[in-house]
Amino acid sequence: MADFIIVMSVLRREVETGWIIGEAQVGPRVMPGIHIAMPWPIDRVTKLKVQQLQRLVVGGELPDTITGRAQPLQSQFLTGDQNIISMRVVVQYSVGVPVDYLVRNENVARSVASAVETALAERIATRNVDAVLTTEKQSIQEEVRAAAQRIIDEYRTGVLLSTVNMESAVPPPEAADAFRDVASARADSSRIISEAQGYANDLIPRARGQAQQLLEEARAYKEKKINEALGDGARFTQVAAEYDKASEINGQRLYLETMEQILPRIKKLIIDKNGNLDLTIVRKGESSK
């Protein structure tokens, strides 16, 4: 009886030092060789599958959600823009430190779930609902896994997180219709913007082409007018030079030609500066008819 009391006192002291769980002695690593354990109730051997991935759901299982047995408060999170969103996150983890996993935690799954839920609530609270539902999903998963792993390491849970996957992120049923309307309006807005952008992409090049064409036509018209003006100026210079050679005769001829153009098909009476009528021209005009 004394020997049994001595053995139990030794076991109690080892329990207090963290090397005994129940009646089982645990080491940080099981080294190669022969390991002999005394029969129960003195010793008990617990074998862990350290490479096996274990699954944990934060926010309720899918069957519970479908049947309506899920707890809403466990799956609802508050976003940075004061919206409520229901989420279901699947966590996969394995045993990292066997001693901590066996000795230092009464309920490892609950500790892991609490750490993931805390990290997830912190990350969701810094983003708006649109980012959580669309573009920020991947970054949130990575941030939650890293933050939850730090919490787990701090509490010495002995768990190594493998993945944190956001399987579901939806608005609560009470606001689902409003969210669908907003999503539909956002889709319509994106479609209209895309159509407008396509119209602009089609119209702007055509407008630029037409503008370039008008510029080319304007340049051609400018060159044409300049050339015509130069030609008229050169012709006028030549006519002026010839006019200077016989200015009186040429002046009279030009005057008469001009009058012919101004007053077509009209009988004309030519009167000189002394008021005398030149009847020869009249008679020539009548005889030619």
Side-chain angles (χ1 to χ4, degrees):
M1 183 66 180
D3 294 340
F4 180 75
I5 294 174
I6 292 173
V7 171
M8 293 305 295
S9 64
V10 173
L11 292 175
R12 186 178 299 109
R13 186 173 62 254
E14 291 183 346
V15 167
E16 293 174 355
T17 60
W19 290 94
I20 299 292
I21 178 170
E23 297 85 4
Q25 185 174 356
V26 182
R29 287 290 186 272
V30 178
M31 303 304 294
I34 299 175
H35 302 277
I36 300 175
M38 298 182 68
W40 186 88
I42 299 175
D43 278 350
R44 184 176 64 191
V45 177
T46 302
K47 296 182 179 180
L48 294 176
K49 298 180 180 179
V50 295
Q51 295 182 349
Q52 180 181 6
L53 289 178
Q54 303 183 50
R55 183 176 182 272
L56 174 68
V57 178
V58 177
E61 293 285 354
L62 183 58
D64 295 337
T65 304
I66 296 175
T67 57
R69 292 181 298 176
Q71 297 295 328
L73 296 180
Q74 296 179 356
S75 61
Q76 291 182 355
F77 295 87
L78 186 65
T79 63
D81 53 356
Q82 304 300 315
N83 283 295
I84 296 177
I85 186 171
S86 298
M87 303 188 67
R88 186 174 68 255
V89 179
V90 177
V91 182
Q92 289 184 327
Y93 65 93
S94 60
V95 178
V97 182
V99 175
D100 293 341
Y101 184 86
L102 288 173
V103 175
R104 295 187 177 275
N105 287 271
E106 180 180 359
N107 191 329
V108 175
R110 183 180 300 174
S111 300
V112 174
S114 298
V116 173
E117 186 175 354
T118 300
L120 183 62
E122 292 177 354
R123 298 315 180 274
I124 295 298
T126 60
R127 292 171 169 85
N128 57 42
V129 64
D130 294 333
V132 175
L133 294 175
T134 55
T135 58
E136 296 292 327
K137 180 179 178 181
Q138 187 65 32
S139 61
I140 291 174
Q141 293 178 167
E142 293 299 326
E143 293 177 12
V144 169
R145 188 195 65 79
Q149 185 65 61
R150 287 194 295 269
I151 297 174
I152 291 172
D153 294 341
E154 182 180 354
Y155 291 156
R156 296 185 64 179
T157 309
V159 169
L160 180 62
L161 293 180
S162 178
T163 60
V164 175
N165 183 28
M166 295 168 53
E167 277 197 347
S168 174
V170 296
E174 296 80 4
D177 293 339
F179 269 84
R180 279 193 293 268
D181 293 340
V182 172
S184 177
R186 186 179 294 109
D188 292 340
S189 175
S190 300
R191 177 179 55 80
I192 293 173
I193 292 174
S194 299
E195 292 178 355
Q197 189 65 37
Y199 178 73
N201 293 336
D202 176 65
L203 184 62
I204 291 175
R206 286 196 293 134
R208 288 175 179 170
Q210 293 176 358
Q212 187 65 30
Q213 182 181 358
L214 291 176
L215 289 175
E216 295 296 334
E217 292 178 354
R219 292 192 187 99
Y221 181 75
K222 173 185 175 181
E223 295 295 330
K224 176 184 176 183
K225 289 300 181 182
I226 291 175
N227 293 332
E228 289 180 353
L230 292 176
D232 292 342
R235 185 171 63 254
F236 180 80
T237 302
Q238 294 175 358
V239 171
E242 295 298 328
Y243 179 81
D244 290 338
K245 294 179 182 179
S247 59
E248 183 176 356
I249 298 174
N250 289 327
Q252 185 177 7
R253 179 178 61 80
L254 292 174
Y255 175 77
L256 295 176
E257 290 178 354
T258 302
M259 295 304 294
E260 283 284 348
Q261 295 177 1
I262 296 175
L263 303 173
R265 302 180 63 183
I266 296 177
K267 293 182 179 180
K268 294 169 283 297
L269 300 177
I270 307 304
I271 301 175
D272 59 13
K273 59 183 180 179
N274 296 323
N276 299 322
L277 180 62
D278 189 355
L279 298 178
T280 57
I281 298 177
V282 176
R283 287 195 293 271
K284 288 180 181 179
E286 292 178 350
S287 60
S288 62
K289 292 182 180 179

